[in-house]
Each structure stands twice: as C-alpha cells, then as structure tokens.
Amino acid sequence: MTNHIQTITKLLATHDIDALLLTHLPHIRWAVGFSGSHALLYIDAKGATLITDGRYANQARQEVHDAEVVIGQLDLLAALSKVLGSDRRLGFQADHTTVEEHIRLQQLASTELVPLNGLLQAKTLVKSPEELELMRAAQSITDTVFHELLKIIKPGMTEKQVAAEIVYRQLRHGADTMSFWPIVATGAHGALPHAEASDLKLTNGDLVVLDFGCTVGGYCSDMTRTVAIGQPDEESRKAYQLVLDAQLAALKAARVGISGVELDTAARDVIQAGGHDLPHSLGHALGLEIHEWPSLRWTDKPLPEGAVVTIEPGVYLPGKLGVRIEDMVVLTPDGVENLTASPKELIIL
Ligand code: ZN
Ligand code: ZN
C-alpha cells in the first residue's frame, strides 16, 4: 500500500510548519485508511496520530495504517491538546475547518496557527495503482448496471423507479454505496443538468439522461448516458450527435500535460460551433470524493499522469430536452485509459 504519510510529512518543510492537522475526512481516509465519520489526523516529524471516539475504536484498529490511534471523547480537540507538542507552528486545513474549531485551536497554548488552503489537492489528484484498481472495479459495476437497464427501461416507468433500479442493482453487484444519488431525467426535465429523479413518466419520444456511479473501497465511479424512449425527433438526434462529437473531441485531446481549460475548450468549441452553450465545466477530478480539484474549466494547470477526470459535455434545451455523455478517464502520456466501457451511439429503447 502506498504510504501517503511520507508524502504529507514532506509538506511540513514546504510550508515551514512543525505539525499539521487534517480535519477533512476524505483526506484522512486517503492518508491512513480510516473510513469513519469523526476523526482528526495529527502529523509531525515523528509520525501520524489518528484521534477518534469510542464508537470507532475497533474500526480504527482494523483500518488504520501508518498512524497511532488515540481514542478520545466526543470532543476530539480536547484529545488533540494532549497529543500536540509545545511551541509549535501548526498548519491546518483552512478550507475544511469550522469557525468554532478555529476558535478552539487558537486557545491551545503556545501554538501558532498556519492556515493552509488546497493543501492535498495536487497529491490526491494523482491516483496510485491501488486506487485505480478500485475505480476500475466501481466503474465496471456501473457499466454492468447500465447494460441491465437497457433491458428493463420501458415507457411508463417513472424516473424514481429507474433510480431505484440503479441503486438496487449497483449494490447487488457489490458496490459499497452510491457515489451520489442517481440522476434520472426524462424529456424536458433533462434540461436541468442536476435534476433529481421525480415521479415523471418516461414517454415515447423522450431522451432520458442517466447519470450515476457507485463506490468500491471508498472510490467513486461516475458515468452519464442518454438514451431515447422510442424514435427521437430530428432536434433530439442533432443534439445527441453534437454532444457525442464534443465528447470524442475532448477524449482525443486529453493527455498528460494538457491544462483543464484547454481540455474544456476542445469540447466547448464543438458545442458552440453547433450553436449551443455548455453551461458547466467539461468535467472534474474524482476519487474518494465525487468532485475533487480541479474542475477542468477553472484550472490552467497541466494535468499530471495518473489524474482521473470525467469528460461530460452536454446540451440543454429548456422546456425540451437534455443530452449529456460522460466517461471517466485516466491521463496517460499517449492519451487516456478510458475506464468507461458502456456504448455511446444513440440507443433507442
Ligand atoms: Zn456524472
Ligand atoms: Zn461527473
């Protein structure tokens, strides 16, 4: 298993701090494997200490690697004050700390607080071989369930009934949980990129947006496919083809070293040339969290080898329809490894 504590310990010198406090649970899981919902991770030159409460005593002993475990009361900061050395410059995750926690940290005697933002984002972006295996496994379940859905989706089903099948089937195939609640949006409802599955019925002539994923070992999959219920009209076919062309253009452009904004532009240009807008970023990184840094449209930093990002252009016509196609890819020197195996030609059910 990759030792991420060594990576984090190197950051102490980079930021001129004696110790670091992690408060963001996905980062704590990334660092030492703990999957519970209440913990702090304290790291100094001597090593790492995970602080949690009694509910997680056994779980922490089973899961945690590369760190000591301290079982405190529900108030974890009280336990931290006993672990913390004296006269320290303590870095903390300013973007993952509450105002109350900050006040409490200020009260710790002889500690100088150093606020840090985006501390681990460049580290968690690059996936290890073990992390990639879990993401491949999660996406494989998602692909299997999409294949099954094609056999059961029928006109007259509600969006919620389709969402229920997605949840049930992903769990049946071994998922731990959902990456996020499935998006099932039919007809005009599909024009809302983040529509919630409703009681709307799938009707002949509709395009249905299906955006879903699951987790394996904590790691997320994320895929969108848009299918037609009965024969789609000309406008629907054109919108579908445009999104597919944009998605393929971005997949072709993607490789190590391209910046997020350059990759976003590769798809956005195609959508705009077709007379439409892309109202959201082309995609996002993901891993232990469904949305990780960066959002492609908003970074000009080059994407490194091993980064996993989604490529998900869409076209949304208010009152009419929505189309989105999303794959999850790993950046490699010659292009990408596409983790998504589901077909992309327009499927008519
Ligand atoms: Zn998605
Ligand atoms: Zn996504």
Side-chain angles (χ1 to χ4, degrees), residues 180 194 211 222-224 282-284 286 290-291 310-312 324 326-327:
F180 56 94
H194 273 188
D211 186 352
D222 186 8
M223 173 178 85
T224 309
L282 175 67
H284 53 91
L286 71 168
I290 184 63
H291 292 118
T310 66
I311 301 209
E312 49 179 308
R324 185 165 62 257
E326 174 180 26
D327 287 349

Side-chain angles (χ1 to χ4, degrees), residues 2-15:
T2 312
N3 187 328
H4 288 144
I5 292 298
Q6 286 172 355
T7 309
I8 297 171
T9 308
K10 287 185 193 137
L11 293 174
L12 299 178
T14 316
H15 294 282

Side-chain angles (χ1 to χ4, degrees), residues 316-337:
Y316 309 93
L317 305 180
K320 290 182 184 168
L321 60 87
V323 179
R324 185 165 62 257
I325 302 172
E326 174 180 26
D327 287 349
M328 181 167 81
V329 303
V330 191
L331 279 278
T332 67
D334 348 303
V336 295
E337 177 198 349

Side-chain angles (χ1 to χ4, degrees), residues 7-291:
T7 309
I8 297 171
T9 308
K10 287 185 193 137
L11 293 174
L12 299 178
T14 316
H15 294 282
D16 189 25
I17 50 179
D18 303 303
L20 179 61
L21 181 65
L22 295 190
T23 44
H24 188 48
L25 289 165
H27 288 167
I28 293 174
R29 185 168 189 174
W30 179 80
V32 296
F34 179 66
S35 69
S37 68
H38 194 222
L40 299 172
L41 187 67
Y42 174 80
I43 299 142
D44 64 15
K46 285 182 280 179
T49 307
L50 179 103
I51 304 167
T52 184
D53 70 78
R55 292 171 298 168
Y56 290 115
N58 283 334
Q59 187 177 328
R61 276 180 209 111
Q62 285 168 15
E63 289 182 342
V64 172
H65 50 80
D66 307 313
E68 302 280 321
V69 174
V70 168
I71 305 301
Q73 307 290 322
L74 201 57
D75 178 3
L76 300 181
L77 285 172
L80 173 70
S81 63
K82 292 178 193 146
V83 172
L84 193 64
S86 57
D87 296 322
R88 313 231 95 180
R89 274 172 60 79
L90 176 67
F92 70 100
Q93 297 189 282
D95 45 354
H96 297 288
T97 299
T98 65
V99 175
E100 169 66 14
E101 284 166 341
H102 186 240
I103 292 169
R104 296 278 309 283
L105 286 171
Q106 283 175 319
Q107 290 164 351
L108 296 173
S110 71
T111 299
E112 186 188 341
L113 293 179
V114 181
L116 300 167
N117 273 303
L119 179 72
L120 292 175
Q121 62 188 23
K123 303 293 179 197
T124 56
L125 173 61
V126 178
K127 268 55 185 183
S128 68
E130 296 98 326
E131 289 174 304
L132 289 176
E133 261 325 292
L134 294 170
M135 295 182 86
R136 280 187 198 103
Q139 182 53 40
S140 163
I141 291 170
T142 299
D143 281 324
T144 300
V145 169
F146 178 69
H147 184 70
E148 292 179 2
L149 287 179
L150 297 179
K151 295 180 202 152
I152 60 165
I153 290 181
K154 301 259 175 327
M157 278 178 93
T158 68
E159 293 174 350
K160 279 185 195 167
Q161 286 167 347
V162 177
E165 293 288 345
I166 291 172
V167 173
Y168 169 75
R169 286 166 189 272
Q170 288 195 117
L171 292 174
R172 282 287 304 266
H173 285 293
D176 298 336
T177 186
M178 302 301 106
S179 305
F180 56 94
W181 197 246
I183 294 169
V184 180
T186 195
H189 198 207
L192 279 56
H194 273 188
E196 269 190 33
S198 74
D199 293 319
L200 275 172
K201 287 191 167 128
L202 278 49
T203 308
N204 268 320
D206 281 359
L207 294 180
V208 187
V209 178
L210 305 159
D211 186 352
F212 61 100
C214 64
T215 74
V216 170
Y219 284 82
C220 295
S221 61
D222 186 8
M223 173 178 85
T224 309
R225 289 293 183 265
T226 302
V227 299
I229 307 297
Q231 287 299 325
D233 63 14
E234 197 48 35
E235 189 174 41
S236 303
R237 283 178 187 276
K238 272 194 180 152
Y240 191 93
Q241 191 58 46
L242 185 61
V243 172
L244 182 56
D245 290 345
Q247 214 251 359
L248 295 174
L251 285 174
K252 206 170 157 206
R255 57 181 153 51
V256 168
I258 193 169
S259 76
V261 68
E262 284 167 342
L263 185 49
D264 179 279
T265 304
R268 190 171 297 277
D269 283 351
V270 174
I271 301 262
Q272 287 175 347
H276 294 283
D277 280 325
L278 178 57
H280 53 73
S281 171
L282 175 67
H284 53 91
L286 71 168
L288 283 169
E289 297 178 87
I290 184 63
H291 292 118

